[in-house]
Amino acid sequence: MAGVTDRPFRELCLRYGAGMAVSEMMSSNPALWKTSKSKQRMVHEGESGIRSVQIAGSDPQLMAEAAQFSVENGAQIIDINMGCPAKKVNKKLAGSALLRYPDLIEDILTTVVQAVRVPVTLKTRTGWDTAHKNCVHIAKLAEDCGIQALALHGRTRACLYRGMAEYDSIRAVKKAISIPVIANGDIDSPEKAKYVLEYTGADALMIGRPAQGRPWIFQEIQHFLETGTTMPALPVKEVKSILLGHVQALHQFYGAYLGPRIARKHVGWYLKEHEQASGFRRTFNAIEAAPLQLEALEGYFDNVAS
């Protein structure tokens, strides 16, 4: 399962083995639904796989309305975000900020579940900080409210993405509830995936940052779990084909201005392990025209990486 992703990357993750990919987080504030960014996130027509749309907010009724709106626009699953640690989200009492208010969490979950006829899932963290880990309580509450599956990141909000994720909390949650538990956090290799599944007893895995620039990680994990052997490294020609196709999709989806700018971070992720790519990345980041970006990538792979 892939974490929160934009549409081009979501489609790519699905192609390479992610059983499901969750959409970008959508605010429950209807005043924001008319922005160009929100409109892009709301388009689900023609998407492959199960369409899971993630919503965030703190007002139960607005969250319910956002869920209904998403279902009307193609969502087959509603995923509630109570795990995002970003300040701009938390200052609105959304994301992981809600972990300090279990009563409000209960109200939100109950209201959303009752508002739609599709499964509702929850993504959260182990607690607000290490002194206040309440994930087992929240998990039991979520199950009682009708949540169908729980994804748990093995860090508190205060941890952000620092340090290493811990899996004892995920293990404890799995033992405490009967709904599916999805383990998340630092699952960056097939070996780590196998360890986390066995240690926590989780029903599935969610992978976010490790898939950036490596969408085939899902395929690698599946191969390892099924065969016990490591999948051969992808040939450079295949990596080139994947990257060029991804960049073209970004250009088409986001347009001539935003597309090339968003492509920069993705190209950086793909090439971060290429020692010879540091100079190229600086050059690439200065390119603003979509055709020139593709031309530059062709040249890089033909002259440097082959």
Side-chain angles (χ1 to χ4, degrees):
M1 181 177 178
V4 181
T5 61
D6 63 29
R7 181 167 178 170
F9 188 43
R10 193 158 64 246
E11 292 290 326
L12 197 55
C13 288
L14 289 169
R15 187 189 311 166
Y16 283 91
M20 185 170 72
V22 182
S23 75
E24 290 181 279
M25 187 168 61
M26 188 183 88
S27 171
S28 63
N29 182 356
L32 300 177
W33 295 352
K34 295 181 180 180
T35 67
S36 57
K37 182 182 290 187
S38 292
K39 287 180 179 179
Q40 284 177 326
R41 293 177 178 180
M42 293 175 186
V43 177
H44 305 292
E45 184 180 352
E47 288 187 6
S48 59
I50 300 169
R51 296 187 293 277
S52 176
V53 174
Q54 188 173 91
I55 60 175
S58 58
D59 183 290
Q61 188 55 42
L62 289 180
M63 289 285 280
E65 291 173 8
Q68 292 170 335
F69 181 84
S70 297
V71 171
E72 290 168 2
N73 284 274
Q76 297 168 310
I77 293 175
I78 295 298
D79 186 55
I80 298 176
N81 183 298
M82 294 187 183
C84 180
K87 287 184 179 179
K88 67 179 181 179
V89 174
N90 289 179
K91 71 180 182 181
K92 297 178 181 178
L93 196 59
S96 56
L98 287 164
L99 293 174
R100 294 176 291 177
Y101 307 99
D103 289 344
L104 179 55
I105 288 177
E106 182 176 13
D107 197 2
I108 291 171
L109 299 184
T110 300
T111 305
V112 173
V113 167
Q114 293 177 352
V116 293
R117 293 186 178 182
V118 301
V120 180
T121 60
L122 175 66
K123 168 73 189 304
T124 187
R125 287 187 170 227
T126 58
W128 176 254
D129 56 31
T130 53
H132 300 88
K133 289 186 179 181
N134 60 350
C135 54
V136 172
H137 173 63
I138 297 300
K140 291 180 178 179
L141 187 155
E143 183 174 32
D144 290 342
C145 291
I147 292 298
Q148 298 294 300
L150 174 73
L152 182 59
H153 185 113
R155 287 183 174 89
T156 67
R157 187 275 167 190
C159 292
L160 300 177
Y161 295 99
R162 295 188 295 264
M164 300 298 294
E166 56 92 2
Y167 306 112
D168 288 334
S169 294
I170 300 175
R171 185 178 187 178
V173 164
K174 175 57 187 173
K175 290 181 178 179
I177 60 177
S178 60
I179 60 175
V181 174
I182 303 162
N184 176 233
D186 294 347
I187 301 167
D188 56 6
S189 70
E191 294 80 6
K192 188 68 170 290
K194 185 174 187 292
Y195 166 77
V196 172
L197 283 172
E198 291 178 349
Y199 183 77
T200 65
D203 302 278
L205 303 174
M206 175 179 283
I207 297 174
R209 291 173 299 153
Q212 293 172 340
R214 188 182 163 196
W216 53 87
I217 188 174
F218 305 99
Q219 197 175 68
E220 292 176 328
I221 289 172
Q222 185 174 359
H223 179 89
F224 185 78
L225 293 177
E226 291 177 350
T227 69
T229 62
T230 302
M231 194 177 85
L234 288 187
V236 173
K237 287 185 178 179
E238 188 169 349
V239 175
K240 172 187 175 182
S241 176
I242 294 169
L243 176 51
L244 285 172
H246 189 178
V247 170
Q248 286 177 317
L250 290 169
H251 292 164
Q252 292 169 1
F253 186 72
Y254 288 106
Y257 179 79
L258 278 181
R261 284 156 179 78
I262 293 173
R264 292 169 185 164
K265 65 180 180 181
H266 286 278
V267 170
W269 289 327
Y270 276 96
L271 302 183
K272 64 184 177 184
E273 295 182 2
H274 291 209
E275 294 181 1
Q276 68 272 46
S278 59
F280 171 77
R281 288 199 301 269
R282 287 192 294 272
T283 301
F284 184 85
N285 287 342
I287 300 174
E288 297 186 358
L292 294 181
Q293 280 192 338
L294 296 172
E295 184 179 314
L297 286 170
E298 289 275 5
Y300 170 78
F301 279 97
D302 291 344
N303 300 319
V304 179
S306 59

